[in-house]
């Protein structure tokens, strides 16, 4: 019997927010399954990260390298593989892969229904908005059903989005297995109000919640925003618990694999003028819990994992052949073989045209010269930008990019980064030392 698969996706959630106090239901899943402690996004911004998940290739390859570029029509999307394998496919929540930001292309549905041809192949249940933060707030809003009807909801947004997932499970009558993608907006900040919005009844509970060490030596808005942020994550966790309860009520929990992760983290305006789009762990390090099927036993796994690994992992869980063009590695294959990669690769956009790698010991990041803004997909030239020795400096306080004691380390990391860029289909770039950038 093919397993059911649920992909539960939060937005802008740091890796260090998963613990017994804030997320007991996620910890229960981790205690049954696998908790991947070194999971990183491959693109720390909403739309591109989602495009990587839905296509299995990097953002420059699928062309959605910044927000506001729709899913490429020339790449077979993830849901179509499940459709062809006899699965029902369902999508709930934030999509962010239909509207086009560039002039002259003319298609926008930030506040209107996503046409069926722009839904990435999800066909059996659709309850979503392209840009959920434009159609709702922390409380109340609307999304659209599969027939493009506007569906209003009242109450805390994370509760309502989860309720639509429960609705799908209650409505489902076929014997087909299902692949359900639940895309929450929480704990992402509310754009038009410039703040995080936790459930009002629990924010006070977290007013003295300890701040992460990687924030407190920098200026940012964490002191004001962190209680709402943690309260929002706590409510998502409560909804994960409701979903698990529904699966057990239906008698299908034991044949369901649940994957929980996020598109990127949040640095609370400490590293740039907003919350993400940087190479720092506060921006790129995400939770990843997989429970069910192969992923049993309550194991903590510290291998380096990338968001780009999840599409092939999802297909292998379902027994679907993994396309050769997919850029990630199935975690099932990696665990069985005992192999571990030496780094994860990131493309960074909007704040810069940047590239980075993270090894277990080092962080190395480069950025292109500022030419025509920051909306270039790639560049022939980059300058070294950041180097952190993560064993000595896990909170990334000391940038060593100009430290002569790390000259050989920079050389080795530069070669590793170029290897990853070429592997992702990019032309071999020239990477210049940081001191030259200051003279340009």
């Amino acid at each position: 019997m093919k397993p059911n698969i649920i992909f539960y996706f939060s937005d802008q959630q740091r890796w260090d927010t998963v613990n017994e106090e804030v997320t007991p239901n996620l910890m229960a899943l981790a205690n049954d399954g696998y908790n991947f402690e070194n999971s990183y996004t491959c693109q720390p911004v909403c739309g591109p990260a989602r495009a990587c998940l839905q296509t299995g290739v990097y953002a420059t390859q699928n062309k959605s390298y910044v927000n506001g570029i729709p899913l490429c029509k020339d790449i077979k999307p993830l849901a179509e593989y499940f459709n062809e394998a006899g699965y029902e496919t369902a999508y709930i929540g934030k999509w962010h892969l239909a509207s086009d930001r560039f002039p002259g292309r003319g298609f926008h549905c930030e506040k209107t229904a996503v046409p069926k041809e722009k839904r990435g192949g999800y066909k059996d249940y659709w309850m979503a908005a392209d840009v959920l933060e434009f159609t709702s707030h922390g409380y109340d809003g609307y999304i659209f059903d599969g027939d493009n009807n506007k569906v209003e909801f009242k109450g805390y947004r994370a509760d309502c989005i989860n309720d639509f997932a429960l609705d799908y499970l209650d409505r489902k009558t076929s014997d087909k297995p299902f692949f359900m993608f639940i895309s929450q907006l929480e704990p992402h900040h509310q754009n038009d109000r410039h703040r995080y919005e936790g459930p009002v009844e629990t924010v006070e509970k977290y007013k003295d919640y300890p701040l992460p060490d990687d924030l407190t030596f920098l200026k940012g808005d964490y002191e004001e925003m962190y209680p709402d942020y943690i309260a929002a994550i706590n409510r998502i966790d409560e909804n994960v618990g409701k979903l698990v309860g529904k699966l057990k009520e239906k008698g299908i929990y034991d044949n369901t694999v649940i994957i929980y992760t996020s598109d990127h983290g949040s640095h609370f305006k400490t590293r740039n003028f907003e919350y993400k789009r940087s190479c720092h762990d506060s921006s790129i390090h995400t939770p990843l819990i997989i429970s069910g099927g192969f992923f049993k036993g309550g194991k903590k796994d510290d291998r380096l994992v990338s968001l780009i690994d999840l599409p092939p992992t999802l297909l292998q869980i379902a027994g679907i052949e993994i396309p050769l063009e997919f850029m990630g590695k199935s975690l099932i294959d990696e665990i069985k073989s005992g192999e571990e990669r030496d780094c994860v690769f990131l493309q960074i956009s909007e704040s810069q045209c940047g590239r980075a790698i993270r090894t277990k010991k080092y962080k190395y990041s480069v950025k292109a010269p500022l030419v025509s803004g920051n909306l270039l997909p790639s560049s022939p030239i980059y300058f070294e930008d950041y180097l952190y020795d993560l064993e000595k400096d896990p909170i990334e306080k000391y940038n060593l990019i100009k430290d002569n004691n790390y000259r050989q380390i920079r050389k080795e990391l530069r070669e590793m980064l170029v290897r990853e860029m070429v592997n992702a289909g990019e032309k071999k770039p020239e990477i210049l030392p940081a001191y030259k950038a200051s003279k340009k």
Side-chain angles (χ1 to χ4, degrees):
M1 183 185 300
K2 292 184 177 180
N4 305 305
I5 302 172
I6 296 175
F7 196 102
Y8 210 110
F9 205 39
S10 65
D11 196 325
Q12 209 159 281
Q13 184 178 356
R14 294 168 56 97
W15 85 99
D16 54 5
T17 57
V18 175
N19 55 58
E20 294 288 355
E21 179 181 355
V22 178
T23 59
N25 292 294
L26 287 176
M27 289 306 298
L29 286 178
N31 291 336
D32 281 344
Y34 273 64
N35 189 353
F36 292 92
E37 298 179 317
N38 273 316
S39 172
Y40 301 88
T41 189
C42 55
Q43 233 290 3
V45 66
C46 300
R50 284 163 170 72
C52 294
L53 275 176
Q54 300 300 334
T55 63
V57 298
Y58 287 110
T60 52
Q61 295 172 302
N62 63 47
K63 300 182 174 62
S64 295
Y65 60 91
V66 293
N67 278 332
I69 299 179
L71 204 60
C72 181
K73 294 184 290 186
D74 298 329
I75 299 177
K76 183 177 175 178
L78 184 67
E80 289 292 5
Y81 291 96
F82 282 94
N83 291 332
E84 292 173 359
Y87 273 74
E88 285 190 10
T89 50
Y91 195 95
I92 297 146
K94 173 178 174 176
W95 178 237
H96 215 163
L97 289 172
S99 299
D100 201 322
R101 73 189 292 171
F102 288 100
R105 298 180 183 173
F107 183 80
H108 304 281
C109 61
E110 291 96 339
K111 295 184 178 181
T112 58
V114 176
K116 289 184 179 181
E117 67 272 14
K118 291 183 176 289
R119 297 178 187 170
Y122 292 92
K123 65 180 182 61
D124 294 292
Y125 186 90
W126 177 269
M127 197 69 75
D130 192 40
V131 187
L132 186 57
E133 53 266 52
F134 287 7
T135 69
S136 62
H137 292 95
Y139 284 84
D140 305 339
Y142 63 90
I143 55 178
F144 298 90
D145 68 14
D147 295 321
N148 296 334
N149 297 310
K150 185 177 180 180
V151 180
E152 295 186 355
F153 58 82
K154 293 287 186 182
Y156 192 62
R157 178 169 49 203
D159 297 345
C160 298
I161 295 302
N162 197 75
D163 284 347
F164 291 124
L166 303 183
D167 174 68
Y168 167 70
L169 293 175
D170 281 334
R171 290 190 183 198
K172 187 179 184 305
T173 57
S174 79
D175 292 331
K176 289 184 175 182
F178 62 84
F179 171 51
M180 177 166 57
F181 199 113
I182 305 166
S183 180
Q184 292 274 16
L185 184 60
E186 271 62 43
H188 191 287
H189 63 288
Q190 184 60 40
N191 295 52
D192 60 345
R193 293 175 175 171
H194 308 290
R195 63 167 296 109
Y196 290 93
E197 296 188 350
V200 294
E201 64 270 25
T202 56
V203 171
E204 183 70 12
K205 175 182 176 182
Y206 297 104
K207 66 181 179 64
D208 297 319
Y209 192 81
L211 293 165
D213 291 339
D214 64 326
L215 302 181
T216 54
F217 67 92
L218 295 163
K219 292 182 179 179
D221 66 0
Y222 45 83
E223 289 186 350
E224 177 188 1
M225 298 296 177
Y226 212 63
D228 276 87
Y229 182 77
I230 293 296
I233 291 168
N234 172 255
R235 184 57 68 87
I236 287 180
D237 179 78
E238 183 179 307
N239 280 291
V240 169
K242 290 178 181 177
L243 182 69
V244 169
K246 177 65 71 172
L247 294 170
K248 290 179 177 179
E249 174 191 316
K250 297 287 184 182
I252 56 175
Y253 175 75
D254 290 338
N255 191 42
T256 301
V257 179
I258 300 173
I259 299 95
Y260 183 95
T261 191
S262 193
D263 54 352
H264 51 77
S266 178
H267 57 67
F268 291 88
K269 300 186 178 181
T270 56
R271 301 295 186 170
N272 55 38
F273 293 117
E274 41 81 65
Y275 294 107
K276 53 228 179 197
R277 301 177 177 92
S278 88
C279 71
H280 302 89
D281 271 14
S282 50
S283 179
I284 68 171
H285 195 174
T286 57
L288 175 59
I289 294 167
I290 308 180
S291 182
F294 174 84
F295 299 95
K296 288 288 189 182
K299 297 179 181 178
K300 291 183 179 180
D301 194 306
D302 70 348
R303 75 185 63 241
L304 293 167
V305 175
S306 170
L307 189 76
I308 204 72
D309 297 326
L310 298 185
T313 302
L314 287 164
L315 293 188
Q316 187 163 9
I317 290 170
I320 301 170
E321 185 176 355
I322 300 168
L324 294 176
E325 59 268 26
F326 271 27
M327 297 304 299
K329 302 175 182 178
S330 167
L331 296 179
I332 296 174
D333 284 343
E334 277 211 338
I335 292 167
K336 285 181 175 179
S337 69
E339 295 179 3
E340 293 190 34
R341 71 191 64 206
D342 54 8
C343 72
V344 288
F345 170 59
L346 297 98
Q347 298 176 327
I348 305 169
S349 65
E350 298 193 5
S351 63
Q352 60 184 272
C353 175
R355 301 292 183 266
I357 53 170
R358 193 200 193 281
T359 71
K360 284 191 174 180
K361 188 172 182 179
Y362 296 107
K363 172 79 57 61
Y364 177 74
S365 183
V366 303
K367 66 178 180 180
L370 187 61
V371 179
S372 302
N374 293 317
L375 298 183
L376 295 172
S378 61
S379 173
I381 298 174
Y382 294 85
F383 290 97
E384 293 182 323
D385 197 20
Y386 290 103
L387 171 64
Y388 294 107
D389 185 331
L390 300 171
E391 287 187 351
K392 296 178 180 178
D393 178 28
I395 61 174
E396 299 176 317
K397 190 173 184 179
Y398 304 105
N399 185 6
L400 305 172
I401 201 66
K402 296 182 181 180
D403 190 326
N404 284 332
N405 294 319
Y406 285 81
R407 183 178 299 172
Q408 181 60 30
I409 295 297
R410 285 200 301 274
K411 179 179 182 294
E412 293 170 6
L413 293 172
R414 182 167 58 248
E415 291 172 354
M416 191 180 296
L417 175 60
V418 169
R419 179 198 74 195
E420 293 297 313
M421 293 173 70
V422 171
N423 183 55
E426 301 189 53
K427 292 182 179 179
K428 185 177 181 180
E430 183 178 9
I431 298 177
L432 301 176
Y435 70 85
K436 289 190 176 183
S438 62
K439 297 178 181 180
K440 292 282 182 181

